[in-house]
Amino acid sequence: QLQASGGGLVQAGVSLRLSCAASGSTFSRYTMGWFRQAPGKEREFVAASRRGGGGSTYKDSLRGRFIISRDNTKNTVYLQMNSVKPEDTALYYCAAGSSVILSSTMNPSAYTYWGQGTEVTVSS
C-alpha cells in the first residue's frame, strides 16, 4: 500500500516536497516512481528511483528542477519539486514495481502498485 502526501496549493517559484510512504518490509526491492496527470491529459512519468541503488531516472524536462530520493529505513520515497511552475499542476502519483527493467522505467504499466495521488496546484 502506498500513501502519497505533501501536495497543496502553492505559488509559482516555491519548493514543495511530496512523500510516499509504503507498507511492507521489502521496500528496498522496489523501483519507486512518481507520475503525474494534469486535467485533460494523460498520465506522464516524472521520476523514478531504481531498487538496489540503481540510480534515478527523470523526465528530461524536469531533470535539475525535481529531485527524487528514498529512505529505505522509512519505506518512503520523496519528490523534491523546486521552482514550481503552473504547468506542474497535476495529481501526483507514486508507484512501485519489483521488476521494472531499465527500458521500462518511464512506462506506467511496468509498476504494480499505485498510491491514491496527491494534488499539486501551482498558481501564477
Side-chain angles (χ1 to χ4, degrees):
Q1 185 175 4
L2 302 175
Q3 182 72 39
S5 62
L9 173 62
V10 297
Q11 288 191 326
V14 304
S15 295
L16 191 66
R17 189 177 79 159
L18 306 183
S19 300
C20 175
S23 59
S25 60
T26 58
F27 179 78
S28 62
R29 299 179 187 177
Y30 285 81
T31 291
M32 301 299 299
W34 284 99
F35 293 79
R36 67 184 183 183
Q37 187 166 17
K41 295 187 177 181
E42 293 187 354
R43 189 171 301 188
E44 67 172 358
F45 172 79
V46 174
S49 173
R50 299 191 57 77
R51 62 177 183 169
S56 303
T57 303
Y58 293 92
K59 177 181 172 64
D60 284 345
S61 61
L62 300 177
R63 186 179 294 111
R65 193 162 62 88
F66 286 15
I67 301 171
I68 189 171
S69 62
R70 64 191 295 163
D71 186 337
N72 290 336
T73 66
K74 297 182 178 180
N75 284 10
T76 301
V77 63
Y78 304 97
L79 183 69
Q80 179 69 38
M81 304 168 59
N82 298 318
S83 302
V84 297
K85 304 175 181 180
E87 51 263 43
D88 294 325
T89 294
L91 188 59
Y92 284 72
Y93 297 91
C94 59
S98 61
S99 55
V100 180
I101 61 175
L102 185 59
S103 60
S104 297
T105 299
M106 299 184 183
N107 188 343
S109 63
Y111 295 79
T112 307
Y113 303 102
W114 290 81
Q116 84 291 355
T118 184
E119 189 167 2
V120 173
T121 303
V122 182
S123 63
S124 58

